[in-house]
């Protein structure tokens, strides 16, 4: 059965995303708002998510909330990246290259 959504009958919506096991997504500004919701959807599909966040304390709180929802095995981590500081972006990028073996998409 074809369902209509605000995005049209063939629109890209979370319930039309299949398994993302084995995929790794990097998301900036994922402590809250759109980045946090994108993280939730990707984790619900089995993806690994690396959050690139400005505030480590809020990142730990976000991860605790995600592990509460998806279980302690949820594959979510964070690397500190303040997008307003280019030096911080560079050092975070170096940390990503060191720690993340595969990147399927940057959001
Ligand atoms: N085109 C559209 O239709 C549309 C619609 C909605 C939103 N947007 C855009 O999408 C983005 C997110 O919106 P939102 O509503 O989810 O915003 P939000 O709830 O305010 O979330 C912003 C997130 O970005 C992080 N952030 C802010 N400044 C940062 C920086 N310098 N470095 C790293 N992270 C930073 C915040 O982290 P902290 O926890 O450190 O504060 C927070 O987690 C915004 O740019 C908004 O304008 C576009």
């Amino acid at each position: 059965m074809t369902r209509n959504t605000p995005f049209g009958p063939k629109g890209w919506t979370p319930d039309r995303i299949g398994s993302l096991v084995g995929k790794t997504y990097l998301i900036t500004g994922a402590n809250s708002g759109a980045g946090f919701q994108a993280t939730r959807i990707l984790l619900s599909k089995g993806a690994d998510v690396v959050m690139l966040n400005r505030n480590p304390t809020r990142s730990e709180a976000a991860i605790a909330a995600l592990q509460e929802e998806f279980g302690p095995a949820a594959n979510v981590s964070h690397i500190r990246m303040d997008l307003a500081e280019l030096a911080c972006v560079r050092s975070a990028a170096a940390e990503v290259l060191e720690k993340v073996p595969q990147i399927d998409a940057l959001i």
Side-chain angles (χ1 to χ4, degrees):
M1 187 175 90
T2 308
R3 282 194 314 118
N4 268 313
T5 73
F7 307 100
K10 293 187 178 167
W12 189 81
T13 61
D15 60 341
R16 292 184 176 140
I17 302 173
S19 169
L20 296 176
V21 171
K23 304 269 188 198
T24 301
Y25 295 86
L26 272 57
I27 308 185
T28 59
N31 277 339
S32 60
F36 184 76
Q37 296 307 324
T39 300
R40 288 185 61 242
I41 291 166
L42 295 170
L43 289 177
S44 78
K45 306 294 177 179
D48 295 3
V49 178
V50 181
M51 305 192 299
L52 303 174
N53 290 341
R54 170 173 62 177
N55 183 323
T57 307
R58 293 192 67 204
S59 300
E60 294 298 341
I63 287 177
L66 292 164
Q67 286 178 334
E68 176 117 7
E69 183 173 0
F70 297 105
N75 212 333
V76 56
S77 60
H78 72 95
I79 288 173
R80 182 170 184 274
M81 180 184 282
D82 183 340
L83 293 164
E85 282 179 40
L86 282 184
C88 185
V89 173
R90 284 195 188 91
S91 67
E95 193 174 339
V96 166
L97 289 175
E98 189 186 308
K99 292 184 176 167
V100 184
Q102 165 192 318
I103 299 170
D104 290 280
L106 170 65
I107 300 174

